[in-house]
Tab-separated table of all heavy atoms in Angstrom:
chain	number	residue	atom	x	y	z
C	242	PHE	N	67.200	84.112	29.454
C	242	PHE	CA	66.131	83.255	28.998
C	242	PHE	C	66.238	81.870	29.693
C	242	PHE	O	67.304	81.501	30.176
C	242	PHE	CB	66.152	83.013	27.530
C	242	PHE	CG	66.087	84.346	26.672
C	242	PHE	CD1	67.265	84.936	26.194
C	242	PHE	CD2	64.858	84.920	26.424
C	242	PHE	CE1	67.130	86.093	25.472
C	242	PHE	CE2	64.801	86.039	25.697
C	242	PHE	CZ	66.015	86.669	25.196
C	243	SER	N	65.079	81.152	29.779
C	243	SER	CA	64.995	79.843	30.414
C	243	SER	C	65.364	78.694	29.367
C	243	SER	O	64.571	78.527	28.467
C	243	SER	CB	63.598	79.592	30.992
C	243	SER	OG	63.458	78.292	31.347
C	244	LYS	N	66.484	78.155	29.564
C	244	LYS	CA	66.865	76.947	28.789
C	244	LYS	C	65.786	75.863	28.939
C	244	LYS	O	65.496	75.134	27.871
C	244	LYS	CB	68.222	76.443	29.055
C	244	LYS	CG	68.741	75.361	28.225
C	244	LYS	CD	70.174	74.865	28.648
C	244	LYS	CE	71.287	75.906	28.194
C	244	LYS	NZ	72.575	75.308	28.408
C	245	ALA	N	65.251	75.651	30.174
C	245	ALA	CA	64.303	74.641	30.363
C	245	ALA	C	63.028	74.773	29.579
C	245	ALA	O	62.466	73.876	28.896
C	245	ALA	CB	63.975	74.434	31.865
C	246	ASP	N	62.538	76.052	29.568
C	246	ASP	CA	61.293	76.474	28.785
C	246	ASP	C	61.500	76.267	27.372
C	246	ASP	O	60.626	75.780	26.553
C	246	ASP	CB	60.855	77.860	29.076
C	246	ASP	CG	60.258	77.871	30.584
C	246	ASP	OD1	60.127	76.900	31.217
C	246	ASP	OD2	60.096	79.085	31.121
C	247	PHE	N	62.726	76.693	26.809
C	247	PHE	CA	63.057	76.523	25.452
C	247	PHE	C	63.058	75.075	25.011
C	247	PHE	O	62.456	74.669	23.982
C	247	PHE	CB	64.424	77.113	25.145
C	247	PHE	CG	64.933	76.864	23.809
C	247	PHE	CD1	64.548	77.675	22.727
C	247	PHE	CD2	65.761	75.782	23.551
C	247	PHE	CE1	65.046	77.375	21.412
C	247	PHE	CE2	66.322	75.521	22.356
C	247	PHE	CZ	65.978	76.214	21.228
C	248	CYS	N	63.715	74.290	25.849
C	248	CYS	CA	63.727	72.817	25.537
C	248	CYS	C	62.379	72.161	25.575
C	248	CYS	O	61.999	71.268	24.765
C	248	CYS	CB	64.651	72.021	26.498
C	248	CYS	SG	66.408	72.364	26.179
C	249	ALA	N	61.549	72.475	26.607
C	249	ALA	CA	60.253	71.932	26.721
C	249	ALA	C	59.340	72.271	25.499
C	249	ALA	O	58.579	71.496	25.069
C	249	ALA	CB	59.605	72.438	27.998
C	250	SER	N	59.474	73.535	25.066
C	250	SER	CA	58.741	73.992	23.964
C	250	SER	C	59.056	73.306	22.653
C	250	SER	O	58.202	72.890	21.849
C	250	SER	CB	58.766	75.463	23.730
C	250	SER	OG	58.326	76.192	24.873
C	251	PHE	N	60.389	73.096	22.513
C	251	PHE	CA	60.887	72.380	21.275
C	251	PHE	C	60.524	70.972	21.291
C	251	PHE	O	60.075	70.354	20.343
C	251	PHE	CB	62.383	72.531	21.204
C	251	PHE	CG	63.039	71.800	20.032
C	251	PHE	CD1	62.987	72.339	18.896
C	251	PHE	CD2	63.765	70.630	20.251
C	251	PHE	CE1	63.593	71.731	17.697
C	251	PHE	CE2	64.406	70.049	19.169
C	251	PHE	CZ	64.279	70.569	17.901
C	252	GLN	N	60.609	70.281	22.499
C	252	GLN	CA	60.327	68.884	22.579
C	252	GLN	C	58.781	68.712	22.294
C	252	GLN	O	58.438	67.773	21.630
C	252	GLN	CB	60.557	68.447	24.034
C	252	GLN	CG	60.182	67.012	24.288
C	252	GLN	CD	60.558	66.573	25.686
C	252	GLN	OE1	61.472	65.782	25.875
C	252	GLN	NE2	59.801	66.967	26.697
C	253	LYS	N	57.915	69.592	22.868
C	253	LYS	CA	56.474	69.512	22.574
C	253	LYS	C	56.206	69.518	21.093
C	253	LYS	O	55.357	68.799	20.596
C	253	LYS	CB	55.715	70.547	23.324
C	253	LYS	CG	54.186	70.429	23.226
C	253	LYS	CD	53.580	71.529	24.159
C	253	LYS	CE	52.079	71.333	24.071
C	253	LYS	NZ	51.459	71.457	22.753
C	254	ALA	N	56.944	70.516	20.396
C	254	ALA	CA	56.621	70.632	18.895
C	254	ALA	C	56.993	69.259	18.152
C	254	ALA	O	56.243	68.952	17.300
C	254	ALA	CB	57.503	71.777	18.367
C	255	ILE	N	58.033	68.559	18.644
C	255	ILE	CA	58.411	67.290	17.917
C	255	ILE	C	57.352	66.274	18.340
C	255	ILE	O	56.851	65.534	17.535
C	255	ILE	CB	59.864	66.929	18.367
C	255	ILE	CG1	60.899	67.879	17.950
C	255	ILE	CG2	60.115	65.500	17.855
C	255	ILE	CD1	61.170	67.961	16.521
Side-chain angles (χ1 to χ4, degrees):
F242 302 98
S243 169
K244 184 181 286 191
D246 290 349
F247 170 84
C248 288
S250 299
F251 179 74
Q252 176 177 256
K253 185 177 185 298
I255 298 288

